[in-house]
Amino acid sequence: MDFAFGPEDERFRTEARDWLAEHFTGPFTALEQEPGGHPGEARGDMTARRAWERELGTGGWIGLGWDRTDGAYGNRAATLTQQVVWAEEYARAGAPGRLGHIGENLLAPTLLAHGDLAQRARFLPPIARAEELWCQGYSEPDAGSDLAGLRTRAVRDPGEGTYRITGQKIWTSLAHEADWCFVLARTEEGSQRHHGLSFLLVPMDQPGRIEVRPIRQLTGTAEFNEVFFDGAVARAEHLVGGAGHGWRVAMSLLAVERGVSTLVQQIGFAQELSRVVRLALETGAAEEPVLRDRLIRQWAELKAMRWNALRTLGAAQSPTPNPNPARTSAPNPAPNDARDPAPRKGAAHDLPPGSANSQAPGPQAPGPRDPGPQDPGAPSVAKLLWGGWHQRLGELAVQVRGAAAALGPARWTAGRPYELDAFQRLFLFSRADTIYGGSDEIQRTIIAERVLHLPKESRR
């Protein structure tokens, strides 16, 4: 794949840089930015963060690269390289982590792939204008890495034509701020595992029917939540992909979350690594041979992750016929695959994002008319690579500080008893990187069974 930036890309870069210089000013610059963090880690003034999202929406910078076959939805067109240009400029400007990641980078591509025209027309413009924030209702206390074991149920009311949802979700990023939640629920009585699941769009403003309880984390913050549904209502026209086809829709979304979005995530990782290297030089820690070797390894591994992400992007954008169809694995696993990756708890976790899991807008997944990456193990490989890498970076961040890493950035007060600096938050939060989004053990099982075709482990 030719990933060079051409003249049009550089003109797009100038446009993006000028817009950020003009609009990322005043109170917005006070919003805390930690590029390699998790979208669920958003801190600070939530009113100001929502205002910044609306500023991006007004400028047409949300939803770059969305499929435009059936409409523009209020965003601007952008090629894949231009999406990366935007992400680079956003990170360079030090702009804050995104609140709208889950709606923009997870739900929107899923609606473009599986939603009908009415659903796209209803939900994509508010996402592009940052008028509605989303959260992800996948994981449950007994259905995390084994997502197919979920128990949340949705019963169709034949009279009203609505679904009544009852159950519990957990590790739901920013549920306390979200306006909507996409929920994977069991809609067929007596169904098991991957069968009988449906993908529903549920409004969160249902007092007495939806309760959100924050979960306090090691970092002292509480972006993740438990969500309890007690007869919550979802309209029949907000069922995506058809009744009983939720597993296919859910796995398509996870491929988006764990696949190509990692390229933009790495831009934030590179900034974090640069800060750690600068600190190592300032403290003299870089003079220690073993530590210097670890820093160099982190840099080399990040480069390898970038090339792997580019390879995945190339496969997604230019799919080629599989010479051996009998060996092809579909993006959604076969029904007898009992263990499946959970979503990022919160974008990471519902995230990356990104993450999946990225905080800056970036490349979207293949559109609805593109079958996506041909390598069924690509998302799992990407998750294994970035999870371990980021965790090791957190360890390095405190190691280069030495004994000073045990001290907080401010004196203890009764009003602020648990203050951490950026490196301490990185270290503590990254302890979960190899667990959320499908644990490392689960990702290795996926690769073993679906790529290497090794015998399946017993599910008893």
Side-chain angles (χ1 to χ4, degrees):
M1 176 182 183
D2 182 4
F3 207 75
F5 295 117
E8 288 297 322
D9 299 322
E10 294 307 325
R11 281 190 285 272
F12 191 84
R13 184 184 301 278
T14 299
E15 180 184 3
R17 184 172 296 182
D18 291 346
W19 187 91
L20 286 164
E22 180 181 353
H23 293 266
F24 185 53
T25 57
F28 294 140
T29 58
L31 296 175
E32 190 171 9
Q33 160 69 322
E34 293 187 33
H38 183 281
E41 287 187 280
R43 287 175 295 278
D45 185 346
M46 298 303 289
T47 300
R49 286 185 177 277
R50 279 183 174 261
W52 173 243
E53 291 288 320
R54 290 192 294 273
E55 191 79 8
L56 290 170
T58 301
W61 295 105
I62 296 178
L64 302 183
W66 284 357
D67 181 272
R68 303 172 72 85
T69 304
D70 302 309
Y73 307 112
N75 59 330
R76 66 181 71 201
T79 65
L80 182 61
T81 51
Q82 287 169 350
Q83 294 167 52
V84 175
V85 164
W86 164 253
E88 290 178 340
E89 291 304 311
Y90 191 92
R92 186 195 65 82
R98 295 290 313 285
L99 285 182
H101 160 78
I102 296 172
E104 177 186 6
N105 295 330
L106 299 184
L107 178 65
T110 302
L111 289 180
L112 288 166
H114 301 284
D116 57 36
L117 292 179
Q119 290 168 347
R120 297 177 196 173
R122 164 59 185 88
F123 293 107
L124 293 182
I127 293 175
R129 295 191 298 264
E131 294 174 351
E132 293 177 344
L133 295 180
W134 286 80
C135 60
Q136 177 177 356
Y138 273 22
S139 292
E140 300 181 6
D142 295 320
S145 293
D146 186 9
L147 183 59
L150 64 85
R151 298 179 182 179
T152 295
R153 296 190 175 277
V155 178
R156 178 74 181 271
D157 186 323
E160 297 181 1
T162 59
Y163 286 90
R164 296 281 181 168
I165 304 170
T166 303
Q168 177 187 358
K169 299 295 181 177
I170 197 168
W171 305 119
T172 308
S173 294
L174 301 177
H176 57 297
E177 294 289 337
D179 304 293
W180 288 79
C181 181
F182 49 89
V183 176
L184 191 62
R186 199 166 293 283
T187 52
E188 293 182 13
E189 186 67 28
S191 63
Q192 295 182 352
R193 307 302 303 159
H194 314 81
H195 303 285
L197 302 176
S198 295
F199 190 98
L200 292 158
L201 310 180
V202 183
M204 291 293 287
D205 187 14
Q206 299 190 48
R209 293 175 175 168
I210 298 180
E211 180 185 359
V212 177
R213 299 179 188 172
I215 300 172
R216 189 68 57 184
Q217 299 144 206
L218 277 175
T219 52
T221 54
E223 299 84 13
F224 305 132
N225 305 269
E226 294 178 283
V227 181
F228 296 85
F229 299 93
D230 186 8
V233 177
R235 295 164 58 178
E237 58 266 34
H238 295 164
L239 172 70
V240 179
H245 297 293
W247 187 257
R248 176 172 57 91
V249 179
M251 291 300 101
S252 173
L253 184 144
L254 288 182
V256 171
E257 185 183 16
R258 298 192 180 120
V260 297
S261 65
T262 57
L263 180 63
V264 176
Q265 178 192 45
Q266 291 160 18
I267 296 172
F269 285 172
Q271 289 191 321
E272 276 188 323
L273 177 59
S274 294
R275 290 159 63 190
V276 173
V277 170
R278 285 198 300 270
L279 181 63
L281 293 172
E282 292 169 2
T283 62
E287 298 300 319
E288 202 280 311
V290 174
L291 184 55
R292 185 169 64 247
D293 180 69
R294 289 188 63 189
L295 289 168
I296 294 171
R297 281 180 175 273
Q298 286 293 119
W299 176 85
E301 289 171 359
L302 184 60
K303 290 293 183 182
M305 282 196 293
R306 175 175 173 81
W307 288 113
N308 182 67
L310 290 173
R311 178 186 65 83
T312 302
L313 280 170
Q317 296 299 310
S318 304
T320 56
N322 192 311
N324 188 357
R327 302 280 286 182
T328 299
S329 296
N332 28 306
N336 62 349
D337 288 325
R339 294 191 181 179
D340 304 285
R344 272 194 253 292
K345 307 227 177 356
H349 287 178
D350 288 342
L351 118 129
S355 80
N357 67 82
S358 89
Q359 291 205 341
Q364 303 298 319
R369 293 158 186 83
D370 188 326
Q374 298 298 295
D375 182 356
S380 292
V381 169
K383 173 60 173 63
L384 282 172
L385 289 175
W386 75 254
W389 185 93
H390 200 225
Q391 193 174 85
R392 291 190 295 275
L393 182 66
E395 295 168 355
L396 272 172
V398 296
Q399 188 174 358
V400 299
R401 294 186 62 194
L407 301 175
R411 294 184 67 86
W412 184 93
T413 66
R416 306 187 73 173
Y418 196 71
E419 289 294 298
L420 301 172
D421 62 30
F423 288 125
Q424 290 167 332
R425 280 194 294 268
L426 169 62
F427 170 71
L428 291 174
F429 196 93
S430 64
R431 304 315 300 164
D433 282 342
T434 54
I435 300 174
Y436 67 66
S439 68
D440 280 9
E441 291 82 359
I442 294 298
Q443 304 305 333
R444 292 189 177 98
T445 297
I446 291 171
I447 294 169
E449 295 181 356
R450 302 179 196 171
V451 180
L452 302 177
H453 300 281
L454 297 177
K456 299 185 184 212
E457 64 174 287
S458 173
R459 308 303 190 193
R460 295 179 181 177

